[in-house]
Amino acid sequence: MSTRNRLLFFLTGWLIVLMPFLFWWNTWFGRQLSDKQLGEYLQDEKHPRHIQHALVQIGERMTRHDTSVTEWYPQVVRLASYPVEEVRNTDAWVMGQDTSGAGFHDGLLKMLADPSLIVRGNAALSLVRFGDATGRPQVLELLQPATISAPESGIVTDTSAVGTAIRQGGIVAKLQEGGQIKELRSPISGRLRTLSADTGQTLAAGSAIATIDPGTEQVWEALRALYLVGQPEDLAAVQPYERELPDIPDHVRKQAIETEKAIRERNAR
């Protein structure tokens, strides 16, 4: 092998290793940002993940009671209406980390009407930290399966399999209308519980296609919130998670039992 070819070979191998590292480095929210970078990332409208990265860093510094992050609180409040769902979702979590933050409480109350189920849920969970149970209906919503419906009429061209683990934004089914394919995505992370449409079937707009059972973390956080603000009428949503079933982790089952106990004791006072 000539020297030139050896150099090209080693350069190619180096790039194969470097490119995944650079991608990971630029998308990993654990990478620490300087104060200058935080300010720049919060304003980076072209890269929503930069905004999300900055929010995560601010939230983590809040949990360490770092008061220097208060200079960015107005930006945190502003981002509650940002057009990208992932940013609003992170923002709802961040505002729950400091109950003294100016504008946080009002911002979270407005987010209860967000079009995203997960954003509404995270806002409701954060409001519980403020001692505010206004978002209790949204917390209960987190315990329910999510229904995927056809936004328009069309032919089902592909579906995931029942039992498949689905991440938030993951494709559940594909619908063809004319010459266009519409991807139907899950609003939550969880597991595909049911499919009510087969490949090749023609559906009318609004027809249900699938239901997604909520993921473990989502259920656990909702149960923890209801431990503090739940009411007797919420028990019907809590009790299914008390069952000893393979798909219900032990820590979730124990939390459901403790949540029911707390609700009953609160009602008996």
Side-chain angles (χ1 to χ4, degrees), residues 10 16 32 41 52 54 66 73 76 88-89 99 103 124 129 138 144 156 158 165 185 189 196 220 241 254:
F10 287 121
I16 290 173
Q32 293 299 311
Y41 274 35
Q52 196 176 3
D66 181 351
Y73 280 12
V76 173
R88 299 196 310 277
N89 191 32
T99 56
R129 291 175 172 264
Q138 286 80 3
Q144 306 300 323
V156 179
D158 192 17
R185 298 177 179 272
S189 294
S196 50
W220 189 61
Y241 293 99
K254 289 179 179 178

Side-chain angles (χ1 to χ4, degrees), residues 18 42 54 78 99-100 108 125 131 136 145 149 152 160 184 189 192 200 213 238 267:
L18 179 64
L42 286 172
R78 175 184 67 83
T99 56
S100 66
L108 288 167
L125 294 175
R136 187 167 62 85
S149 299
E152 55 195 28
S160 297
L184 307 185
S189 294
L192 183 56
D213 278 332
V238 172
N267 189 56

